[in-house]
Amino acid sequence: MKITAIRATPVNIPLEAPYLWSYGSLAGFSKTIVEVETSDGLVGLGEGPSPANAAVIANSFAPRLIGRDPIDIQACETLCLPSWRGVYTDVDFASIRAFGAIEMALWDLRGKAWNRPLSDLFGGRVRDAITFTDYFAFREARDGVGGESDPQAVLDYCLGQRERFGTTMFEGKLSTADPKPSIETLALLRDRLGPEAVLRIDSNKAYSLATATRIAQAIEPLGIRSWEDPVATFEDMAKLRRHTAIPFSVHTPDLRRAVALGVPDAFCTDVNVHGGIGRTLKFIAACEQMGLDFWCYSGDSGIASSVYLHLAAAFEHIREPSQSLFHMQPFDVIEEGPLRPRNNLVAVPTGPGIGVTLSPDRLAFCHRHFVDNGPFNKFHDPDRPDRFRRLPLS
């Protein structure tokens, strides 16, 4: 079996309404969908975290990989990436993440060639359904959806999610310049959802150490399960630890610093930041050895999200719910999507490889959205659209 073609398609995955976060307003996510076709007629699916990955894959990686053995992932990496000491020194994260999309498709091909789901290739599954949090935030309105602009509106949204989907695990933004509305929202949620509901928060590095310390004192009695990126650095997080027992999580996969400083308590990453599934497997295993939790990212299409299902199915160590924006995502590129948790759970695909089917029509729709509108600007500030925000907010 040889690689005969590689297609990389930039797409937009719109949200039903833009949500507000530390840098401004986010209306959706722009990705690259990868298809690796083989001489046996199999097609492996992958996903990159940026539309810029498409050009790297098409212009640099594809010419090197055509005619190669897709099962030999190590050889494919050697053709595409220099030594990891080199790429980290040069901070060539674009190439690392672009290869992660290719590598995801190669793992999908392995599963399809051997007629086994990814979780079997990872060692077998320990669970058949995976827990996810449901996201909440202050949101702008779009086409009659969203518009939650105060704590009561966010509470009503979460109560609606519990009623409709049985959600009892929530994660949301705590990143307003004035933290009081965010704190009030958490207090309302804890009061109305009850003591058993999971409440996690994400500040996206919005606050100074002094402000984060004051916030911690206000929210610690609310039983917060985890606080993601309350401050900008691991070093400030270590200082914040002196003032609160709330567990911290981060997206930055720096395990050495975490072990040295004693924070964070958990990592939340996507596959691509590690350069692919293989290196993610090693990272999760290292987290287990170091006693640090791991869960998966949000904001992806059903391709990468289904990879997260397989990872959580195969690793008993992934004990905490992963993130999801699933109920805020009305569009997807797979036939089985968008994924919809019920009672916090999504079933693990049982088909070979990743176990999902690319929809040509849905892929074309998401690609046309990208062509017509350009990539989503994650850093658009609706209050001052002519400039970018600077952190900390307070």
Side-chain angles (χ1 to χ4, degrees):
M1 184 166 63
K2 303 298 181 183
I3 297 172
T4 56
I6 298 176
R7 294 180 290 277
T9 307
V11 298
N12 280 347
I13 310 291
L15 294 172
E16 62 179 8
Y19 70 69
L20 303 178
W21 69 312
S22 59
Y23 287 97
S25 174
L26 181 57
F29 299 86
S30 299
K31 306 285 182 176
T32 292
I33 304 302
V34 174
E35 301 166 80
V36 178
E37 190 170 342
T38 71
S39 55
D40 288 19
L42 299 176
V43 179
L45 303 178
E47 180 177 337
S50 166
N53 301 146
V56 177
I57 290 168
N59 299 329
S60 179
F61 294 168
R64 297 168 182 256
L65 295 175
I66 300 299
R68 300 292 178 172
D69 178 4
I71 302 300
D72 192 349
I73 294 177
Q74 182 59 57
C76 291
E77 179 181 311
T78 302
L79 290 168
C80 294
L81 294 180
S83 163
W84 275 66
R85 291 179 181 270
V87 291
Y88 270 133
T89 299
D90 294 338
V91 199
D92 191 5
F93 295 126
S95 291
I96 291 173
R97 294 176 182 186
F99 181 76
I102 290 279
E103 197 253 21
M104 187 184 298
L106 299 182
W107 274 92
D108 189 33
L109 283 171
R110 279 187 177 187
K112 289 173 176 175
W114 299 337
N115 197 32
R116 308 293 295 189
L118 276 189
S119 53
D120 283 2
L121 305 189
F122 300 159
R125 64 180 61 186
V126 297
R127 51 182 73 93
D128 295 319
I130 308 305
T131 55
F132 285 86
T133 57
D134 212 345
Y135 229 73
F136 64 86
F138 295 118
R139 296 195 293 175
E140 298 181 280
R142 177 198 283 164
D143 299 328
V145 180
E148 296 87 7
S149 59
D150 59 59
Q152 182 62 48
V154 175
L155 171 64
D156 291 342
Y157 172 82
C158 292
L159 292 175
Q161 296 302 95
R162 185 177 67 177
E163 179 68 23
R164 293 175 62 197
F165 304 111
T167 305
T168 59
M169 297 179 173
F170 294 91
E171 180 166 355
K173 297 300 181 188
L174 194 161
S175 56
T176 47
D178 177 0
K180 291 180 181 178
S182 294
I183 295 171
E184 182 182 345
T185 299
L186 290 177
L188 284 173
L189 288 173
R190 177 54 75 204
D191 179 60
R192 293 295 302 278
L193 295 174
E196 300 304 317
V198 169
L199 282 181
R200 295 199 313 218
I201 54 175
D202 181 2
S203 291
N204 296 113
K205 305 180 181 181
Y207 299 115
S208 66
L209 176 59
T211 299
T213 301
R214 291 194 295 271
I215 294 171
Q217 292 169 350
I219 66 175
E220 183 158 350
L222 301 177
I224 302 303
R225 185 71 155 257
S226 180
W227 189 0
E228 188 169 278
D229 286 323
V231 287
T233 68
F234 285 27
E235 287 76 14
D236 276 352
M237 198 176 292
K239 295 175 183 177
L240 183 60
R241 165 61 71 236
R242 302 170 190 168
H243 304 282
T244 181
I246 299 173
F248 302 134
S249 63
V250 297
H251 293 314
T252 307
D254 195 334
L255 188 57
R256 285 179 178 270
R257 287 171 67 212
V259 172
L261 293 170
V263 290
D265 305 277
F267 291 97
C268 171
T269 75
D270 61 20
V271 165
N272 300 83
V273 74
H274 301 284
I277 290 172
R279 292 181 181 275
T280 304
L281 297 174
K282 296 175 184 178
F283 185 85
I284 298 170
C287 287
E288 182 175 4
Q289 288 298 310
M290 294 296 103
L292 299 173
D293 277 319
F294 178 95
W295 54 80
C296 297
Y297 206 60
S298 59
D300 297 303
S301 84
I303 296 173
S305 297
S306 294
V307 170
Y308 305 153
L309 290 170
H310 287 284
L311 286 170
F315 276 90
E316 195 164 11
H317 180 63
I318 302 181
R319 301 163 293 188
E320 292 293 308
S322 288
Q323 293 180 344
S324 92
L325 288 157
F326 295 148
H327 287 131
M328 293 184 174
Q329 294 176 266
F331 304 103
D332 207 340
V333 298
I334 62 169
E335 295 285 2
E336 300 84 355
L339 303 178
R340 290 288 182 260
R342 297 278 179 174
N343 300 315
N344 313 308
L345 293 168
V346 177
V348 182
T350 57
I354 297 174
V356 298
T357 309
L358 186 65
S359 166
D361 291 342
R362 294 181 177 192
L363 178 66
F365 170 84
C366 292
H367 176 59
R368 174 52 56 188
H369 192 289
F370 175 85
V371 171
D372 291 345
N373 301 284
F376 286 113
N377 180 4
K378 292 184 177 182
F379 305 105
H380 168 69
D381 185 349
D383 298 323
R384 305 186 72 178
D386 60 324
R387 62 181 62 193
F388 295 111
R389 285 186 184 176
R390 290 293 180 264
L391 302 185
L393 297 178
S394 63

